Amino acid sequence: MRFGLVLCLIATLSLIAAAAGCIDSGSEKNVLIVGNHLMSDARELDQGTGTGTLITEKIIITETLVATGEDFSLKPNLAESWKMINDTTWEFKLREDVKFHNGDEMTAADVKFSIENINTKQPGRTTLIDYRDSEIVDKYTIRIRTNTMNPLLPAALHSPDTAIISPKSYDANGEYVTTIGTGPMKLASFNEQTGEIVVVRHDQWWGGTPTIEKIINRGYPNPNTRAMIIENHDVDMTFDPPYSEVARLDAIEGIDVLKFNTPRTYKLDLNFDHAPLDDLNVRKALAYAIDRQGIVDNVLYGVGSVATGPFLPTMAWANTSLVPYTYNQTLAKQYLADAGWTDTNGDGYVDKDGKKLSFKLLTYTERPGLVPMLEAISSNLKDIGIEVEEIAMETGAISPMLAEGDWDMYLIAANLAMVPDPEYVLKTWYTTDGTTNRGHYSNTEVDRIVAEGHNLITPKERYAHFRTAEGIVYDEVATINVAYYGVAIIMWDNVQGFTYDPTAHDYRLSPFMTVA
Amino acid sequence: MHHYLIKRTAYLILTLVIASMFTFVVVNATPGEPAEVLARHLYIGLEEVAPPELIAEVSERYDLNKPLLQQYLEWVGGILHGDLGHSILFNKPVDRLLMLHLPPTILLTAVAMSFATIAGLVLGIYSALHQNKISDHIIRVGTIFSVSMPGFWVAVMLILVFSIWLGLTPVSGYSGPQYIILPAIALGLHTMASIIRIMRTSMLETMDKPFVTFAKAKGLPMRRVICSHACKNAFLPVLTVIGMSFGALLAGSVVIETIFSWPGIGAMLMKAISARDLVLIESTIMVIVFMFLIVNFVIDLLYHVIDPRITYE
């Protein structure tokens, strides 16, 4: 028996040793191995059905007509310039030196094809374009017509969903074959089973010769796995390990941790249909009761930052004169008392007319920071005498509760730059008919400012105009902004030349990175 | 025997029919309107609000507004004609997705099961033969530990020790045989512990039986007494555990597959559930149920092979 045991042990150890010998070290130069957060499926590579984020930002094989600068202001990309011809027509002049990966030149016809491709197949993703049709003026000029006047069109064409592809990405029957874009990298292989994507340098790229030779994109859906895979140097770069692991990884010699804000904010939507949330004093009490710095330090471990207004202060249109609702329990209790809520029976909860102040707080589980953040917020609210019921479920299960109005506050990490322009957020979150105005906040002044702002064309005018609306919704505590969403990018120091694109979904790779 | 086979096949079909109804009802009763959830996953983003027109369009496009009974009959009718349906989320036929992702899951389950069975039997027998000695105590403590520890924790600890500290195995992925070692151990550990406990108890009982005493008295070498007489008889309860565990391993590998980035049906099923891709969820569950039933059917037949006293009349 003992002999059998020893034999088993030897066999196991030799199997492990043999296996260890097979692990490749990946020593090629300028080959970047990235640990992405999802195991991609073929759908995501197809511009017509995917989100565009993967192909435009993560493997950089496609590009959009419009790009943005660090302050989210628009700048030329595949389009050199654009202007409004009349209320419903924009004209875009295209670069004349752009080649697709198959060597074909990019022309206005390809742009028309790409926009119509996404517009037909994914109408929900092109609502902001409000596309009617387009006219090819010449080889490098296209006029895009919208159903109604749309000053947001150039900003909407910054969305990765509107990436430009060659019609040859599909066969004669319209079936997807491969993605032929104009980006600095081109698709070399895609493993349908594991989701591994390999892209190689596109030598004819209009932006210069990329230094990176090859990018291997692998999916590691578990955050703990991403922390270990980078620690083991199986990948050169990854992002969003568990927030609690960030400091430990940063302490490892040779590993750099970069933390940035991404255009997304953790905010509490408030249900204005449920009294007393329609009382400004109660809302201010809530705003002052939340320890935002504590949440950023202890829940997000520094991945993110304290929020004031709905927009990131770095956005060109942000109203930077807003005064923060700094954590102050005394002031919060004072606002509650002003609204008539005090603890009359000494049970630790404030009450009015014999009724305890009690709220139902919802959030969803798909983003790691939300559930612990909800717990921290609940604890802050209990500290000022508010009874709290917490519910956290996946978004699919939360939807019916939201639709039926069975909630008081909803903690959500909402996207701030679907289009790099203030109108989208202010209109959808805060106007009376706003599509994501879940809590039914309503202010005729805000409605008027947003409606008037729609007619302004130049960014300068628009930004100044919308700042007023941002100030009003902030002062009225239409939503409680808790923290700006952050991303932690982890890379080994053999990777150089990474630049952060604040408009990207988490990160965008740069073609001018090097890997030693 | 023929009578038994016919009866078992009838039970198998009945179980499949009941399972299909149950799956369909549970999947459709999950909170969240499928068209609304799909609209957000496919078209506008998780955190946005799907406008009613878009929900209506998604319902129309994917036939989600048909009566439930009609949807069920069409789905079952499709399966009977060999068509498992089309995944809305992945935009692919379900059978194509299963062809891509079922083999890695079966491979992982089979390796984990083999590891659990071999290690479980060896350690269980060893433990029984060294009852109340130090090695027995160590194995028993190890068994309790393995049963109590959650799979995801074991998986992370295995990576930490064998990949990060010792550098013997890769952390995570699916690029060669070495990648299966840790996930198979992590997945099989719980079953291994169950097998050790059952085998030990069963072995102890068997070793007290008169036929073992008789074999010993005949002067047979101890190795033959254990291998030919005791083990074979002690093995029957273990076979039951193996059959029951197979289903648990097959469907329960979701967490392990995610941690080890294993491209099995676990990750696919999770995506399908969160996006309410009904047909993909239902068909995948039916395939798992079918495999589970087949494995247990085979195991029932194996009882007779191992112990000819068991008959099926």
Side-chain angles (χ1 to χ4, degrees):
Chain A
M1 207 64 225
R2 244 176 228 144
F3 174 72
L5 262 184
V6 172
L7 210 64
C8 278
L9 201 67
I10 291 173
T12 313
L13 284 177
S14 36
L15 188 69
I16 292 174
C22 300
I23 303 172
D24 59 322
S25 55
S27 57
E28 282 175 89
K29 217 176 163 218
N30 285 331
V31 174
L32 179 72
I33 307 177
V34 181
N36 202 347
H37 71 302
L38 42 87
M39 293 160 89
S40 304
D41 54 83
R43 186 180 201 284
E44 289 164 273
L45 288 173
D46 178 1
Q47 183 257 15
T49 55
T51 64
T53 313
L54 177 77
I55 53 175
T56 306
E57 297 174 354
K58 307 299 179 285
I59 56 172
I60 49 176
I61 59 173
T62 53
E63 296 167 298
T64 49
L65 291 181
V66 179
T68 55
E70 282 199 355
D71 62 354
F72 295 79
S73 58
L74 304 183
K75 61 178 195 184
N77 204 35
L78 292 180
E80 264 178 349
S81 63
W82 49 87
K83 61 179 180 201
M84 202 174 204
I85 301 284
N86 59 44
D87 273 5
T88 54
T89 310
W90 282 85
E91 183 176 279
F92 290 81
K93 287 265 180 214
L94 307 178
R95 292 187 67 98
E96 297 185 10
D97 55 351
V98 180
K99 288 262 170 70
F100 281 112
H101 299 150
N102 61 357
D104 291 355
E105 201 180 351
M106 184 198 75
T107 64
D110 302 312
V111 173
K112 181 178 165 72
F113 169 83
S114 302
I115 293 172
E116 291 183 349
N117 188 47
I118 185 82
N119 188 56
T120 317
K121 294 176 183 168
Q122 296 265 301
R125 294 197 182 277
T126 50
T127 322
L128 297 167
I129 298 179
D130 193 21
Y131 185 77
R132 195 172 93 199
D133 57 18
S134 49
E135 176 197 348
I136 297 168
V137 179
D138 61 43
K139 203 173 170 189
Y140 303 111
T141 312
I142 183 167
R143 283 184 182 167
I144 298 176
R145 276 191 288 266
T146 53
N147 293 312
T148 54
M149 180 187 164
N150 187 7
L152 286 176
L153 182 70
L157 292 174
H158 160 266
S159 161
D161 300 334
T162 62
I164 306 304
I165 52 160
S166 160
K168 290 177 185 166
S169 302
Y170 301 89
D171 66 14
N173 300 321
E175 293 295 319
Y176 171 75
V177 182
T178 184
T179 309
I180 303 170
T182 62
M185 307 301 282
K186 57 182 176 184
L187 197 59
S189 71
F190 171 65
N191 184 323
E192 215 182 338
Q193 188 176 52
T194 62
E196 181 180 280
I197 305 166
V198 179
V199 294
V200 294
R201 193 166 73 187
H202 171 38
D203 289 319
Q204 292 175 298
W205 185 46
W206 60 273
T209 308
T211 48
I212 209 99
E213 294 275 349
K214 190 199 273 187
I215 299 170
I216 302 171
N217 184 295
R218 293 183 185 141
Y220 300 98
N222 185 284
N224 281 304
T225 308
R226 290 200 292 278
M228 291 187 286
I229 208 96
I230 189 80
E231 187 176 354
N232 215 34
H233 208 159
D234 289 358
V235 298
D236 301 303
M237 177 179 170
T238 190
F239 74 107
D240 276 354
Y243 295 142
S244 54
E245 284 283 280
V246 169
R248 189 184 68 79
L249 289 170
D250 204 10
I252 296 172
E253 202 184 329
I255 287 185
D256 297 324
V257 174
L258 310 169
K259 288 187 263 185
F260 300 101
N261 280 329
T262 65
R264 191 174 283 283
T265 185
Y266 294 102
K267 59 154 181 162
L268 279 167
D269 280 348
L270 306 173
N271 193 340
F272 279 73
D273 296 337
H274 287 189
L277 285 171
D278 52 352
D279 184 333
L280 179 61
N281 279 327
V282 172
R283 298 200 299 275
K284 282 197 169 171
L286 299 172
Y288 279 111
I290 295 170
D291 180 9
R292 293 172 180 74
Q293 191 62 53
I295 286 173
V296 168
D297 292 344
N298 303 311
V299 172
L300 301 177
Y301 293 88
V303 185
S305 59
V306 169
T308 43
F311 295 119
L312 286 171
T314 48
M315 291 174 158
W317 55 85
N319 185 336
T320 48
S321 62
L322 306 177
V323 182
Y325 292 106
T326 312
Y327 178 49
N328 187 332
Q329 282 192 13
T330 317
L331 198 54
K333 283 178 185 163
Q334 184 57 49
Y335 273 113
L336 280 185
D338 290 349
W341 295 92
T342 49
D343 184 5
T344 56
N345 54 9
D347 66 349
Y349 293 109
V350 295
D351 52 80
K352 187 174 166 181
D353 305 328
K355 215 179 144 214
K356 260 196 283 193
L357 185 55
S358 175
F359 291 125
K360 186 184 268 189
L361 269 66
L362 303 190
T363 196
Y364 50 99
T365 50
E366 280 90 333
R367 291 184 185 274
L370 288 170
V371 178
M373 190 178 289
L374 191 77
E375 286 166 13
I377 290 171
S378 302
S379 167
N380 285 154
L381 298 188
K382 281 174 195 159
D383 288 344
I384 59 161
I386 296 173
E387 189 182 55
V388 174
E389 182 189 352
E390 300 162 44
I391 295 173
M393 293 192 285
E394 56 140 351
T395 50
I398 285 280
S399 293
M401 294 183 78
L402 289 170
E404 287 157 19
D406 184 19
W407 60 284
D408 297 308
M409 296 181 217
Y410 178 48
L411 180 66
I412 177 172
N415 192 326
L416 286 177
M418 285 288 231
V419 280
D421 186 274
E423 182 181 338
Y424 174 74
V425 164
L426 290 170
K427 183 178 175 182
T428 55
W429 294 11
Y430 298 117
T431 60
T432 306
D433 299 323
T435 49
T436 47
N437 181 0
R438 296 180 179 85
H440 302 148
Y441 164 76
S442 181
N443 180 318
T444 47
E445 181 69 358
V446 172
D447 292 352
R448 185 188 61 77
I449 296 172
V450 171
E452 283 176 7
H454 187 70
N455 299 318
L456 301 172
I457 307 302
T458 65
K460 205 176 162 189
E461 278 180 298
R462 293 176 64 76
Y463 296 174
H465 181 84
F466 283 111
R467 271 184 206 117
T468 320
E470 190 192 350
I472 297 174
V473 297
Y474 185 73
D475 290 341
E476 291 210 312
V477 198
T479 54
I480 298 177
N481 312 310
V482 182
Y484 298 123
Y485 206 90
V487 60
I489 296 165
I490 325 280
M491 58 176 83
W492 278 88
D493 55 11
N494 60 330
V495 180
Q496 297 290 324
F498 173 78
T499 49
Y500 184 65
D501 175 354
T503 65
H505 298 74
D506 296 314
Y507 68 92
R508 179 198 297 268
L509 290 182
S510 154
F512 298 113
M513 295 167 78
T514 57
V515 186
Chain B
M1 186 71 181
H2 290 300
H3 181 68
Y4 174 78
L5 283 179
I6 292 165
K7 210 166 108 185
R8 273 308 300 257
T9 311
Y11 274 135
L12 194 136
I13 292 166
L14 185 68
T15 316
L16 280 174
V17 171
I18 293 170
S20 73
M21 288 174 183
F22 187 74
T23 308
F24 189 85
V25 169
V26 168
V27 167
N28 277 285
T30 312
E33 187 193 341
E36 188 266 338
V37 181
L38 269 168
R40 282 190 290 110
H41 274 262
L42 288 173
Y43 298 111
I44 49 172
L46 200 62
E47 276 109 352
E48 302 302 310
V49 174
E53 316 84 68
L54 185 63
I55 298 176
E57 196 192 311
V58 170
S59 283
E60 185 68 32
R61 190 185 283 201
Y62 299 112
D63 288 338
L64 296 168
N65 44 8
K66 285 184 185 169
L68 278 184
L69 183 65
Q70 191 185 347
Q71 286 187 42
Y72 173 74
L73 291 176
E74 281 179 7
W75 170 58
V76 172
I79 292 180
L80 291 176
H81 288 91
D83 174 16
L84 291 174
H86 193 90
S87 159
I88 301 169
L89 181 64
F90 295 96
N91 196 24
K92 270 199 194 111
V94 173
D95 53 7
R96 169 88 188 121
L97 286 166
L98 289 176
M99 264 160 63
L100 284 171
H101 299 295
L102 200 53
T105 295
I106 293 176
L107 179 70
L108 180 60
T109 307
V111 175
M113 204 72 229
S114 311
F115 155 73
T117 310
I118 294 168
L121 288 180
V122 170
L123 292 173
I125 295 167
Y126 184 87
S127 194
L129 297 179
H130 296 80
Q131 194 188 4
N132 294 331
K133 298 215 172 104
I134 288 190
S135 52
D136 178 35
H137 290 307
I138 293 173
I139 290 173
R140 285 166 70 187
V141 169
T143 308
I144 293 168
F145 185 77
S146 306
V147 173
S148 328
M149 290 301 118
F152 69 88
W153 184 84
V154 171
V156 170
M157 287 302 122
L158 285 173
I159 297 178
L160 193 65
V161 174
F162 290 101
S163 308
I164 308 279
W165 292 349
L166 300 175
L168 288 173
T169 50
V171 174
S172 176
Y174 185 74
S175 314
Q178 68 273 24
Y179 284 84
I180 204 170
I181 299 171
L182 294 189
I185 295 175
L187 187 62
L189 211 60
H190 195 277
T191 305
M192 180 199 77
S194 309
I195 293 177
I196 293 176
R197 289 175 69 93
I198 304 261
M199 191 63 192
R200 183 182 176 278
T201 317
S202 175
M203 194 71 186
L204 285 175
E205 274 173 24
T206 314
M207 290 301 280
D208 281 343
K209 291 269 167 71
F211 68 88
V212 175
T213 319
F214 178 68
K216 281 186 200 164
K218 269 200 306 192
L220 280 182
M222 200 55 191
R223 184 181 304 248
R224 271 198 69 189
V225 175
I226 293 165
C227 295
S228 308
H229 296 267
C231 280
K232 219 170 160 183
N233 282 281
F235 185 62
L236 282 181
V238 174
L239 202 57
T240 314
V241 174
I242 292 173
M244 301 307 288
S245 306
F246 183 82
L249 290 196
L250 204 60
S253 56
V254 176
V255 176
I256 300 294
E257 284 186 0
T258 311
I259 292 176
F260 289 99
S261 316
W262 196 260
I265 46 170
M268 181 188 81
L269 204 52
M270 286 303 288
K271 275 190 190 175
I273 291 170
S274 56
R276 302 288 190 277
D277 191 349
L278 303 182
V279 171
L280 180 57
I281 305 170
E282 291 154 3
S283 293
T284 308
I285 291 177
M286 283 314 291
V287 170
I288 294 176
V289 169
F290 182 69
M291 284 167 57
F292 179 72
L293 289 173
I294 293 292
V295 166
N296 278 279
F297 188 28
V298 171
I299 281 183
D300 276 359
L301 297 179
L302 277 179
Y303 283 129
H304 175 71
V305 176
I306 290 173
D307 188 348
R309 287 173 300 177
I310 297 173
T311 57
Y312 298 107
E313 292 312 317

